[in-house]
Amino acid sequence: MASGDGDDVWRDFLSRTRPVMRDDAVVQGDHWRVGVLSDALVRLEWSDDGGFEDRPSQVAVTRDFGSTPDYEVSRRDGILRIETSAFRLEYDMRPFSREGLSITAKGSDGHANTWHYGDGGRHGNLLGTARTLDQADGGVPLDQGVASRDGWAVLDDSTSNVFVPDNGRSSNPYGAWIASRGEGGIDLYVFAHGHRYADAVADLYRLTGRTPLLPRWALGNWWSRYHRYSQDEYRALMDRFEAERIPLTVAVLDMDWHITDPDPEYGSGWTGYTWNSRLFPNHRAFLEDLHRRGLRVTLNVHPRDGIRAFEDGYTEVAREMGMDPKSGRPVLFDPTDPRFVHAYLDLHHHLEAEGVDFWWLDWQQGGVTRQKGLDPLWMLNHIHWLDSGRDGRWPITFSRYAGPGSHRYPVGFSGDTVVSWRSLDFQPYFTATASNVGYGWWSHDIGGHMLGIRDEELEARWYWLGTFSPINRLHSTDSEFSSKEPWNFAEPARTSMVEALRLRHRLVPYLYTMDWRAHDEGRPVVEPMYWEHPDQGEAYEFPDEYRFGTQLVVAPITRPDDRAMAAGKADVWLPYGRWFDFQTGRRYESSSRSGRRIAAWRRLDRIPVFARAGAIVPLQDDDAASTRGAVNPSRIEILAFPGADGEFVMREDDGRYCADDSRMAVSDTTIRMERDGGVITVSAASDPDVVPEVRDWTITVRGAATSRVEVDVAGARVDAETVYDESTLSLSVRIPSVSVRSDMEVRFLDGIVVADDPWMRDAFDVLYRTRMHYLTKEQAMSAIRGEGKAAVASLFSLEHGAGVGDGDAGACEGEDRAGGDLHAGHMPISVVSGLSEVLLRGGVPSA
């Protein structure tokens, strides 16, 4: 068999594994073995024949963590005891049993902090993720993760396949493969990290492999639709996106790129590898055009039906499989056969040579192959991931989750959800919880995929979730009524959608830095609130709220707007400290050590996003040039929030991948804010050859008072334009044409001072937009002007008059609910809530 490109990828993968535990980390007997992998991660094995597993498995590829933690071992009265700073193990050295094997997690004081063999841990487990959301209309059951309020979680690796050398088989060009392991063994990993959830996930990554670094362009906006596009139609669509100044970085083509109506003798048209020439008469030119626009291209594949005789590549594949092409027999899909995998991937290589950048693996046909325990989805993910990184390419796949360890194969495709508020309401929780099993790069069908009803408010809210999701991919089904182009929606949804997509693109410098953090530090871009605050009960009570990188907290609005308020609400918990609304600069004080609960109301053009005092977020400037692709920008805005010192190190690279990331050309730019000194500094780029030579900078302090400003570049005074935006309380300093080899210092001569809270103005704005009696609005505003923030108590008294309703928005419709009493008032409780947020966000009134 001829050797093709990428034949060494399996050997290269195995060369980077360290599957054998350290000798000094092992305590064992004839049939049992205990490995102390870290202070809180312990491996438990039982073998009837006394043979233990030292080969890398589908899940566990590194069992040597580089050092052995301190631990004590004792044997007394037939009981083995192993103790570290994090756990205590007791074992009777017999076949594993509930009575004879236990581990107590010291970092959890609950009554259930001791694991006994056989315990499943469902009660306290904070869960992980699921294989797919296909056809989900709301929530689905989730698998377990490695974070648990009980302090322990268990990962069972007893039945997963293992990697083996091919032993010189001529039929395997890869030099290694995957095989079933022996029967009857037990191989468990117990994570006894207590409430150190991030540490538990970090140990999971050490065991199973790091989260790969995604290319920068993967973090922009993806366009996808299940639709029979023609070549000209798709080009016209991209022209429209450019004309509307809506940036895209990835073009997804669903299955209709290939022939979908073969002769019935070949069976289904779901599988295909031959361009449909009726729709794409010159697909090479089409792909070149998309690349000229700065887009990367992925094609959908359903590989179940193998390669059939009508495919352009059939002859070559059949010959490679030792079949006579003239027979017309199909080459059956068999991911357990290395010959088939080699031929199958060669077919993809030919398509990649024409301009396909990566593949959307759309496997939906269950989890059975000819090899016991080998899930075809996992195998597809693994082989495509390895193959996509051959010859120095930047590896990336796009597929469904196939169990623990699947974070090695990003990006995740969560499946075809129903278009409904229930589906939207589930996705923030689903995305954040997936981090408990290390799966950080979910891509959802933003806007929903199928069925449901048209609801423009729902779509706009979903777009904002997409802006603050790991991957933002718009997708919809083939219905002619359900496409997701923003211009197909009425105002105000249309403008809201466009602004959400533009903001997502602006966030790429921040997101790419978080991408590097996820790869280097094992911290997913989306994290549940309880990771940082595990001992505060409130952190568990807001499952839809999450951290978005190091600087932001997001609480998406996932339910319909309240009619009276003309706005949507998210329940928010703000940890102790000072916070600012990311978009408006309004200040929120959380003065209790237990944090603060608020009802956050937002109109359709935004969702609650908060930045802590001292936060710094780099954005690429929103100009026409930035709508093409996702390159290192020449125009950057630094968004800083006053009230504390802050630092952010923005990371960029030259876009060329290296498996050894220490050899990649990387540039760091450090931004520091010194509150007391009133200074923001931007360092020279650590590698100026990686980034544009000259940059235009805008330094914006949001939520700040105005100030006089001086700017020095390389120690010399330069001119700068200063602008103050009252609507967002933002002081912006614009400095053009700065060499990236120079340090820059922006001095605020009157200090970086938090702006006065415009609560009176904002309260008026809330009332102005509500749907309620004008007379009640006037009474409410009068109380606010007269009593200030203390007027909150008076607002409830404005519900009065015979026959007035029970607080719903019914009286807003114009009917006389007060039995003819024109001076009756109706104060919806939602309006009281919205006004309370504004009046009290800066703290309660002083006595």
Side-chain angles (χ1 to χ4, degrees):
M1 178 182 297
S3 177
D5 289 343
D7 289 354
D8 292 330
V9 292
W10 284 74
R11 285 184 289 262
D12 290 346
F13 170 78
L14 289 179
S15 72
R16 295 190 295 272
T17 67
R18 297 197 308 274
V20 180
M21 294 186 291
R22 300 173 64 84
D23 289 341
D24 59 356
V26 173
V27 181
Q28 73 180 85
D30 291 339
H31 296 282
W32 56 268
R33 185 167 68 164
V34 178
V36 184
L37 303 188
S38 79
D39 70 317
L41 178 58
V42 58
R43 184 188 189 195
L44 305 172
E45 294 175 276
W46 177 269
S47 170
D48 290 335
D49 62 11
F52 300 105
E53 186 57 77
D54 285 330
R55 296 169 294 184
S57 74
Q58 290 174 271
V59 176
V61 297
T62 300
R63 304 186 185 101
D64 176 357
F65 286 7
S67 63
T68 302
D70 293 334
Y71 67 95
E72 296 179 356
V73 180
S74 64
R75 290 178 171 88
R76 189 173 59 198
D77 301 328
I79 300 298
L80 170 71
R81 292 177 175 84
I82 299 177
E83 189 161 0
T84 72
S85 59
F87 70 83
R88 181 176 60 256
L89 176 149
E90 296 185 345
Y91 173 43
D92 64 6
M93 295 179 285
R94 298 177 179 179
F96 292 173
S97 68
R98 179 173 176 78
E99 298 77 15
L101 176 58
S102 66
I103 294 176
T104 298
K106 297 180 180 179
S108 177
D109 297 328
H111 67 278
N113 67 336
T114 297
W115 169 80
H116 296 270
Y117 176 74
D119 286 349
R122 188 76 186 185
H123 174 71
N125 197 280
L126 290 163
L127 304 181
T129 193
R131 187 179 181 103
T132 182
L133 294 180
D134 276 344
Q135 302 184 36
D137 186 8
V140 301
L142 301 180
D143 298 335
Q144 294 194 16
V146 298
S148 172
R149 298 189 76 171
D150 293 334
W152 55 264
V154 180
L155 177 60
D156 189 344
D157 197 35
S158 304
T159 60
S160 69
N161 281 210
V162 292
F163 292 95
V164 296
D166 71 317
N167 296 320
R169 289 184 301 167
S170 61
S171 61
N172 182 1
Y174 295 111
W177 203 241
I178 193 87
S180 297
R181 64 165 89 188
E183 299 284 345
I186 299 173
D187 192 357
L188 306 177
Y189 296 87
V190 180
F191 293 76
H193 293 76
H195 291 167
R196 295 184 292 131
Y197 304 136
D199 288 348
V201 173
D203 269 356
L204 176 70
Y205 287 145
R206 294 167 79 184
L207 177 70
T208 62
R210 291 196 297 175
T211 296
L213 183 70
L214 289 181
R216 186 184 184 96
W217 47 261
L219 303 175
N221 298 311
W222 298 30
W223 175 257
S224 179
R225 185 186 177 195
Y226 179 27
H227 175 71
R228 288 178 64 85
Y229 283 113
S230 69
Q231 183 169 324
D232 290 341
E233 183 183 9
Y234 205 95
R235 281 175 167 171
L237 178 65
M238 295 299 104
D239 288 341
R240 179 69 183 271
F241 272 109
E242 291 187 12
E244 297 280 342
R245 297 187 64 252
I246 299 174
L248 301 174
T249 59
V250 178
V252 184
L253 286 157
D254 213 314
M255 59 178 288
D256 287 293
W257 69 270
H258 64 72
I259 294 172
T260 57
D261 55 351
D263 190 297
E265 71 173 292
Y266 297 114
S268 166
W270 283 86
T271 299
Y273 303 95
T274 304
W275 281 90
N276 186 331
S277 59
R278 289 174 297 176
L279 296 176
F280 298 91
N282 189 344
H283 63 269
R284 293 179 181 84
F286 170 71
L287 295 172
E288 290 174 2
D289 178 69
L290 294 180
H291 288 150
R292 281 195 298 269
R293 300 171 188 265
L295 296 166
R296 297 300 198 280
V297 184
T298 182
L299 304 184
N300 174 281
V301 285
H302 293 85
R304 184 194 67 172
D305 293 329
I307 295 93
R308 293 164 290 177
F310 68 86
E311 302 284 7
D312 288 344
Y314 171 75
T315 296
E316 183 175 345
V317 170
R319 285 174 178 163
E320 190 166 352
M321 291 296 294
M323 296 171 51
D324 180 2
K326 295 180 181 179
S327 70
R329 292 186 295 114
V331 179
L332 299 179
F333 176 77
D334 183 4
T336 69
D337 182 351
R339 292 185 309 160
F340 170 79
V341 169
H342 194 267
Y344 164 83
L345 291 175
D346 273 351
L347 182 63
H348 291 74
H349 297 169
H350 293 310
L351 293 163
E352 291 169 17
E354 296 176 344
V356 179
D357 295 295
F358 66 112
W359 297 94
W360 172 11
L361 307 173
D362 204 351
W363 181 264
Q364 305 173 44
Q365 289 80 29
V368 179
T369 63
R370 293 180 179 177
Q371 185 166 301
K372 184 175 182 179
L374 183 61
D375 182 349
L377 174 60
W378 182 91
M379 190 62 171
L380 282 166
N381 291 348
H382 184 74
I383 63 176
H384 272 279
W385 173 262
L386 293 184
D387 185 69
S388 69
R390 71 189 187 279
D391 302 329
R393 292 171 172 82
W394 201 307
I396 184 171
T397 50
F398 179 36
S399 184
R400 289 176 170 83
Y401 174 78
S406 290
H407 63 267
R408 296 194 304 251
Y409 316 118
V411 168
F413 163 51
S414 68
D416 302 335
T417 51
V418 171
V419 179
S420 70
W421 285 100
R422 288 185 296 273
S423 293
L424 172 60
D425 190 49
F426 182 63
Q427 285 190 359
Y429 165 74
F430 178 80
T431 308
T433 304
S435 293
N436 291 332
V437 72
Y439 202 69
W441 291 115
W442 265 130
S443 164
H444 303 307
D445 285 7
I446 296 300
H449 177 75
M450 59 193 296
L451 305 176
I453 61 173
R454 183 180 178 92
D455 187 329
E456 308 211 345
E457 178 192 332
L458 169 64
E459 294 296 324
R461 293 298 188 194
W462 221 321
Y463 271 54
W464 281 103
L465 172 63
T467 297
F468 296 98
S469 289
I471 300 294
N472 188 31
R473 177 181 52 86
L474 308 179
H475 190 57
S476 56
T477 190
D478 59 348
S479 170
E480 61 186 310
F481 297 107
S482 67
S483 190
K484 297 294 191 293
E485 296 93 336
W487 53 83
N488 288 337
F489 295 84
E491 296 292 2
R494 172 177 174 168
T495 295
S496 177
M497 293 171 167
V498 171
E499 290 306 310
L501 293 171
R502 289 176 180 166
L503 177 57
R504 172 63 182 209
H505 196 73
R506 296 197 68 203
L507 282 164
V508 167
Y510 174 68
L511 288 168
Y512 195 55
T513 302
M514 295 302 106
D515 181 12
W516 270 98
R517 174 178 178 256
H519 176 62
D520 284 345
E521 302 178 27
R523 298 295 295 262
V525 66
V526 168
E527 296 178 1
M529 295 299 290
Y530 47 76
W531 276 30
E532 288 291 323
H533 306 277
D535 297 320
Q536 291 187 247
E538 294 84 355
Y540 300 86
E541 297 174 18
F542 294 79
D544 295 340
E545 181 181 346
Y546 52 85
R547 290 188 177 274
F548 191 65
T550 57
Q551 308 294 296
L552 301 176
V553 167
V554 180
I557 292 173
T558 60
R559 298 185 181 182
D561 284 6
D562 177 85
R563 177 164 178 77
M565 265 296 289
K569 176 176 73 76
D571 293 324
V572 175
W573 175 68
L574 292 178
Y576 173 76
R578 174 175 287 176
W579 298 83
F580 293 85
D581 183 286
F582 176 71
Q583 291 170 282
T584 69
R586 271 46 178 182
R587 171 173 49 92
Y588 291 74
E589 298 287 351
S590 180
S591 56
S592 170
R593 290 292 174 180
S594 62
R596 182 180 179 187
R597 303 167 184 256
I598 63 171
W601 294 86
R602 300 293 184 270
R603 294 193 293 275
L604 201 59
D605 60 347
R606 65 195 60 172
I607 61 174
V609 179
F610 298 93
R612 191 189 288 274
I616 296 172
V617 180
L619 305 170
Q620 56 192 24
D621 205 5
D622 184 20
D623 65 343
S626 72
T627 63
R628 281 185 173 266
V631 298
N632 295 332
S634 60
R635 298 171 62 180
I636 294 181
E637 179 177 13
I638 300 299
L639 197 58
F641 295 86
D645 294 346
E647 178 177 297
F648 188 89
V649 181
M650 179 177 68
R651 173 153 290 191
E652 300 167 281
D653 57 51
D654 65 358
R656 288 179 289 186
Y657 177 78
C658 182
D660 179 1
D661 56 73
S662 66
R663 296 171 56 194
M664 290 179 65
V666 171
S667 182
D668 289 340
T669 302
T670 301
I671 306 105
R672 291 190 180 92
M673 177 168 59
E674 300 175 22
R675 177 186 60 177
D676 294 340
V679 175
I680 293 178
T681 58
V682 179
S683 74
S686 64
D687 185 347
D689 294 330
V690 166
V691 297
E693 183 177 351
V694 173
R695 278 178 156 159
D696 296 342
W697 293 90
T698 299
I699 309 299
T700 297
V701 188
R702 182 154 291 169
T706 189
S707 172
R708 295 167 298 143
V709 175
E710 290 180 349
V711 178
D712 285 354
V713 175
R717 187 69 46 80
V718 300
D719 293 333
E721 178 187 3
T722 302
V723 176
Y724 190 77
D725 183 355
E726 288 281 355
S727 65
T728 61
L729 310 177
S730 296
L731 176 61
S732 296
V733 184
R734 298 170 183 166
I735 312 104
S737 303
V738 177
S739 169
V740 296
R741 300 176 185 272
S742 301
D743 294 333
M744 180 171 63
E745 182 177 274
V746 181
R747 294 186 297 278
F748 298 83
L749 302 181
D750 303 312
I752 303 176
V753 179
V754 175
D756 292 336
D757 185 2
W759 56 269
M760 183 78 75
R761 186 174 75 207
D762 291 352
F764 179 86
D765 186 58
V766 168
L767 285 167
Y768 188 85
R769 296 174 184 274
T770 56
R771 298 184 178 99
M772 54 182 285
H773 287 296
Y774 286 117
L775 178 59
T776 313
K777 291 188 182 189
E778 293 165 2
Q779 291 171 333
M781 199 65 220
S782 177
I784 292 169
R785 291 190 177 112
E787 303 173 45
K789 297 181 178 182
V792 169
S794 301
L795 296 177
F796 292 96
S797 70
L798 299 179
E799 178 74 38
H800 61 84
V804 174
D806 60 3
D808 64 16
C812 305
E813 303 299 327
E815 68 268 31
D816 183 2
R817 297 281 300 272
D821 182 357
L822 299 180
H823 295 284
H826 178 57
M827 173 57 77
I829 192 65
S830 58
V831 177
V832 176
S833 174
L835 288 170
S836 297
E837 179 196 358
V838 170
L839 297 177
L840 302 180
R841 65 193 175 200
V844 297
S846 58

